[in-house]
Amino acid sequence: MSDRELRPLPYGKQSIDDEDVAEVVRVLRSDFLTQGPEVARFEAALCEATGARYAVAVANGTAALHLACLAAGVRDGDVGVVPTITFVASGNAVRYAGGSVAFADVDPDTALVTPASIEARVSELAAKGKRPKVIVPVDMTGAIADLAAVRAIADRVGAVVIEDAAHSLGARRLLDVGGRETEVRGASCQLAHMAILSFHPVKHVTTGEGGAVTTNDEALYKELCDLRTHGITKQGLEQSDGPWYYEQRVLGFNYRITDIQCALGTSQMRKLPAFIARRREVARRYDAAFAAHASVVRPLTVAAGSDSAYHLYVVRLVARDGEDEAGVAARRKALYLALAEQKIYTQVHYIPVHRQPDFRRAGMGHEHLPGASAYYASCLSLPMFPAMTDADVDRVVESVVRAAG
Ligand SMILES: Cc1ncc(COP(=O)(O)O)c(C=O)c1O
């Protein structure tokens, strides 16, 4: 294939078909573009897929995180424990609510937060007479974090668990729930108090921009609904002024999602099982091919009993004899650039959030987090989306091995 014929392969991409387009057009021609019936339909589809009792669809995943932090009671001076390997939004949400972030480390082989690191942050806070208000485990790349261990810590210190499931819609993991090994689904809230989802186009299903909070707790659900619309409610109020009467009880936001977006989301949700199945096939093909090159690159480890939803497919460059992190990072940069020349557009997920200048300026992020450092130096997210063909996967593998070998 000549350069001009090479199909560009981004690291992630939406799959939109005629049925999705028809659903959006149907809503555009209907009476409600927003605050109509499509939002509840989409929320019902999310509940069915995740197993959570309630879903509150909102404008984006960041808004979902913000509302979850507020509903968890994060206020000025509170602290949230957040892994440093995540999108900045997971930490920003704690800050929007007035809190600060204590960053936890990850296992470089899985990119998942380690319970030991959460314990370390909890102990440091305890030494200052504090405890975290929220703990935000992130299901990085689509593999569910050890939510059982996180919940046990949270219960001990009285913290609320907000699962950042932006990557894990459709994921499963066997975990201990109430003493029994149970299949836990991403955003199911079997172990977390609340979970958040994102429907950005690179995610498993898309609404353009969009997000949701799921929960099994009715009180949290009602609060999230109010916060989504300015903190306004009509529930349980005397209507003596007239039927229009409402009250703003708390300071909320306009974080509503439109019916146009939700119609797309519901249509996409019908294809979620097929999307996830194809992502898993792509991952298996990558895994099998890279197994023959284990001295060059290694896929992330997926824990036994864990069935990733593969939002991302991450490989790590293997350090050569005597090579330090800076050496690996330099080769990773070269690999990224060489793949881009082949129109294979990889990405790095993520720059450790504790290194971000804005967090440091705000007095956070001075921890030494060696797991995150090793992971960040070596990781690369390869193309992973349902419309990839087997030939696309083979092309990526060949290019990676040629450039990195
Ligand atoms: C782990 C994680 N959390 C939160 C978000 C925020 O979601 P959104 O982009 O929909 O605001 C993202 C989005 O990329 C994410 O990857």
Side-chain angles (χ1 to χ4, degrees):
M1 220 186 258
S2 79
D3 257 21
R4 285 188 45 218
E5 288 167 324
L6 284 176
R7 186 164 105 96
L9 291 174
Y11 82 86
K13 191 181 178 193
Q14 72 275 14
S15 294
I16 301 287
D17 64 12
D18 290 349
E19 193 182 283
D20 296 321
V21 174
E23 278 298 283
V24 170
V25 170
R26 178 180 63 75
V27 171
L28 285 172
R29 294 198 167 119
S30 76
D31 288 340
F32 294 99
L33 300 188
T34 192
Q35 292 181 279
E38 298 301 327
V39 181
R41 279 182 71 205
F42 182 46
E43 289 173 342
L46 293 173
C47 288
E48 196 185 328
T50 59
R53 201 167 304 149
Y54 305 105
V56 180
V58 293
N60 54 65
T62 308
L65 278 163
H66 184 189
L67 295 191
C69 284
L70 289 173
V74 176
R75 298 290 182 269
D76 285 352
D78 286 332
V79 180
V81 176
V82 179
T84 188
I85 296 297
T86 184
F87 187 51
V88 287
S90 319
N92 285 343
V94 177
R95 295 175 62 194
Y96 298 155
S100 63
V101 178
F103 285 102
D105 205 0
V106 301
D107 176 342
D109 293 330
T110 63
L112 295 175
V113 66
T114 64
S117 178
I118 296 175
E119 290 281 15
R121 296 295 89 81
V122 167
S123 302
E124 287 156 14
L125 287 169
K128 295 184 218 155
K130 299 194 82 162
R131 62 177 182 86
K133 192 79 178 186
V134 289
I135 304 177
V136 187
V138 178
D139 298 333
M140 263 295 291
T141 77
I144 295 178
D146 187 350
L147 298 177
V150 175
R151 180 63 189 255
I153 299 169
D155 282 351
R156 203 184 69 229
V157 299
V160 173
V161 178
I162 301 171
E163 176 192 8
D164 186 333
H167 297 188
S168 64
L169 180 61
R172 298 180 288 241
R173 181 169 178 179
L174 289 176
L175 287 168
D176 186 323
V177 182
R180 279 185 45 208
E181 194 175 60
T182 305
E183 186 180 279
V184 169
R185 285 193 251 169
S188 62
C189 298
Q190 288 154 281
L191 286 159
H193 298 91
M194 287 176 273
I196 73 94
L197 294 163
S198 162
F199 310 116
H200 180 274
V202 291
K203 300 298 193 307
H204 304 90
V205 297
T206 189
T207 56
E209 295 280 358
V213 188
T214 55
T215 185
N216 292 326
D217 183 311
E218 192 182 356
L220 287 172
Y221 168 67
K222 286 185 173 157
E223 194 165 351
L224 291 162
C225 288
D226 290 353
L227 286 168
R228 166 174 61 182
T229 307
H230 304 282
I232 283 173
T233 187
K234 276 187 151 185
Q235 301 287 316
L237 294 180
E238 290 268 334
Q239 302 279 299
S240 49
D241 280 14
W244 59 84
Y245 189 72
Y246 59 77
E247 282 179 2
Q248 179 179 323
R249 294 271 183 83
V250 291
L251 182 61
F253 304 85
N254 179 355
Y255 277 170
R256 291 187 300 262
I257 187 168
T258 66
D259 278 51
I260 307 165
Q261 291 168 297
C262 288
L264 175 57
T266 304
S267 179
Q268 288 263 295
M269 286 299 285
R270 285 195 276 274
K271 287 161 278 206
L272 178 68
F275 288 161
I276 300 284
R278 180 60 192 154
R279 284 176 181 274
R280 288 188 176 132
E281 276 171 17
V282 168
R284 278 197 294 273
R285 195 171 181 90
Y286 271 136
D287 285 348
F290 286 128
H293 304 280
S295 60
V296 181
V297 286
R298 279 194 205 146
L300 288 187
T301 307
V302 178
S306 180
D307 210 356
S308 176
Y310 287 106
H311 161 51
L312 300 173
Y313 187 86
V314 173
V315 291
R316 296 182 61 211
L317 270 188
V318 177
R320 293 174 176 157
D321 275 350
E323 190 178 43
D324 62 9
E325 250 171 51
V328 176
R331 283 198 299 117
R332 189 267 311 274
K333 181 177 171 186
L335 175 59
Y336 172 101
L337 295 172
L339 292 172
E341 296 243 310
Q342 299 296 310
K343 298 192 181 167
I344 297 170
Y345 301 110
T346 61
Q347 189 50 278
V348 170
H349 295 98
Y350 294 94
I351 303 163
V353 183
H354 77 285
R355 294 189 185 173
Q356 292 295 346
D358 183 57
F359 278 84
R360 295 176 85 86
R361 196 165 38 240
M364 296 163 245
H366 295 277
E367 298 86 349
H368 174 56
L369 302 171
S373 188
Y375 170 79
Y376 172 58
S378 58
C379 68
L380 199 61
S381 300
L382 303 183
M384 166 55 86
F385 50 94
M388 279 182 85
T389 64
D390 287 354
D392 290 333
V393 178
D394 296 347
R395 185 180 133 210
V396 175
V397 172
E398 277 162 33
S399 303
V400 168
V401 171
R402 200 178 327 119

